Amino acid sequence: MSTNAPADPRPLSPHLQVWRFHLTMVASIMHRVTGVALYFGTFLITAWLFTLGLPMSGGEPPESFTFLQGLMTSIFGQIVLTLWAGVVLFHFANGIRHLLWDGPRIGFDPKTASTWSLFNFVFAAAGAMGIWFAVTQI
């Protein structure tokens, strides 16, 4: 037997068309995107470390290590590694922001949240460029 039960009276979750676009929203979305990028970027670093541990044959490194080392030292590889460093730094700084939100519940007012979000982007960009400059000067 069917009944005509009223619709659920609870409000629906706000959609993107309801919210005003702001920096804290971008930082939250980028935190998720950088988490995925870290997952895949770690495969490249792990592959390089794995080939680094392979035994040498006749004093020469394995071909897989030579290939990956050449890829990572190319212009394309250095761009990828610099972007990966920025992703690591952004995810790190934004993770601290989330820890402060979840633990002591600090930084929820809109001005502080936006300032912290801007800091995360600047920190990631400046840190990645600093690492790139430090590595290219060696």
Side-chain angles (χ1 to χ4, degrees), residues 10-14:
R10 295 180 296 172
L12 295 175
S13 177

Side-chain angles (χ1 to χ4, degrees), residues 13-80:
S13 177
H15 194 268
L16 289 176
Q17 296 164 340
V18 176
W19 288 101
R20 194 180 91 242
F21 202 69
H22 53 90
L23 193 56
T24 307
M25 180 189 293
V26 175
S28 181
I29 293 168
M30 287 303 294
H31 187 75
R32 290 166 176 83
V33 170
T34 57
V36 172
L38 285 174
Y39 181 79
F40 290 108
T42 302
F43 284 126
L44 176 64
I45 302 298
T46 304
W48 180 76
L49 288 172
F50 178 77
T51 60
L52 185 62
L54 291 175
M56 290 191 192
S57 58
E60 293 292 319
E63 288 182 32
S64 56
F65 174 77
T66 306
F67 171 76
L68 279 174
Q69 185 72 12
L71 179 68
M72 292 170 77
T73 56
S74 70
I75 296 296
F76 173 74
Q78 290 197 6
I79 290 170
V80 167

